[in-house]
Amino acid sequence: MSAETLVRYSVEAGVARLVLDSPHNRNALSTALVTQLHDGLASAAADPTVRCVVLGHEGGTFCAGADLSEAAGRDPGALAVDRAREMTQVLRAILELPVPVIGAIDGHARAGGLGLVGACDIVVGGPASTFALTEARIGVAPSVISLTLLPKMTARSAGRYFVSGEKFGATEAAAIGLITVAADDMAGTVAALAADVAKGSPQGLAASKALTTASILRAFDQHADALAEQSAALFVSEEAHEGMLAFLEKRPPRWASA
């Protein structure tokens, strides 16, 4: 029996489209979805006709972050290490791709899903887009994904949204640098941008993109291992256990004020 398709891949007119297609769990970053996303990125990199990648989604959520349901029956420490490693690798794969990646988002992005947003070169947010960094509410932190978010967001906005967990829309996301543009016609705006990017030469696109990602990749080299260790340690802590249990049980955690 073939594996379930969680990431759809297609190519047309020089544009590769990767669609997160796991709406039953809000496109959460399960091991299977991350593996298929890697495969799609590798396919785009290997195709000489591809000039850009559009990363989109099926359903009302772009990506809800880590798939907490996979914690059942697994050693928490091993799961935490695997999760941090997977997140680091997929973000780096987007950054190192020799063609630009355009995020096409018209739904909710949460936690690790925002790491994907930060890794994209261009991001268009539609009117249904909402964003939130909710890690602190379940006892963890946006450790690994800070590598792609902090270079894009303003310092003041990071200081606010990293700790508040509050939700904001596409207009605010564009104002603070998290996304490139908020558009009423997300699909049309993405198509126009992809058409413009597709006019570039393979060499020109690769070299130009590399100029914009070099400092972020240096930060990965310097800090990714330590941040992955921090992420894993937080994940297996008593507070995180309570926070994730409360999330799954749809109740406030013990530390929440009445």
Side-chain angles (χ1 to χ4, degrees):
M1 181 180 295
S2 60
E4 181 183 6
T5 299
L6 303 177
V7 179
R8 303 199 313 268
Y9 178 80
S10 62
V11 180
E12 183 179 356
V15 179
R17 293 189 178 271
L18 283 167
V19 180
L20 306 183
D21 190 10
S22 183
H24 70 279
N25 66 351
R26 302 192 303 153
N27 293 320
L29 296 170
S30 63
T31 297
L33 185 144
V34 169
T35 298
Q36 292 182 28
L37 181 54
H38 270 292
D39 291 344
L41 293 168
S43 295
D47 187 340
T49 70
V50 169
R51 295 293 179 269
C52 73
V53 171
V54 173
L55 177 60
H57 62 99
E58 188 69 34
T61 297
F62 168 66
C63 179
D67 188 353
L68 298 182
S69 67
E70 289 191 336
R74 290 196 57 185
D75 173 67
L79 177 65
V81 171
D82 288 347
R83 278 287 171 270
R85 183 183 299 118
E86 287 172 358
M87 195 75 242
T88 300
Q89 291 173 346
V90 76
L91 296 181
R92 183 152 201 154
I94 294 172
L95 292 165
E96 291 182 333
L97 200 71
V99 296
V101 178
I102 301 174
I105 302 170
D106 198 20
H108 310 304
R110 298 290 183 270
L114 271 79
L116 298 179
V117 174
C120 291
D121 302 286
I122 303 168
V123 181
V124 179
S129 298
T130 68
F131 305 85
L133 287 156
T134 55
E135 287 88 342
R137 294 187 178 185
I138 61 168
V140 294
S143 303
V144 171
I145 65 173
S146 70
L147 290 166
T148 61
L149 292 176
L150 291 177
K152 304 295 177 69
M153 299 173 68
T154 65
R156 286 297 187 190
S157 65
R160 173 180 178 175
Y161 293 119
F162 270 44
V163 299
S164 71
E166 64 191 292
K167 182 173 68 175
F168 54 95
T171 300
E172 171 71 358
I176 65 176
L178 176 62
I179 69 173
T180 310
V181 61
D184 290 335
D185 180 10
M186 186 273 292
T189 303
V190 168
L193 283 166
D196 283 339
V197 172
K199 296 173 184 176
S201 78
Q203 174 178 277
L205 291 172
S208 298
K209 172 173 175 170
L211 292 172
T212 70
T213 59
S215 62
I216 304 175
L217 287 169
R218 284 195 295 270
F220 267 73
D221 293 338
Q222 295 170 1
H223 305 300
D225 288 346
L227 288 169
E229 290 176 6
Q230 180 194 69
S231 178
L234 289 169
F235 188 87
V236 299
S237 67
E238 183 178 343
E239 280 192 17
H241 175 74
E242 163 62 12
M244 285 183 276
L245 189 62
F247 173 81
L248 293 172
E249 294 178 349
K250 303 185 186 303
R251 62 170 174 82
R254 288 194 302 262
W255 61 75
S257 57

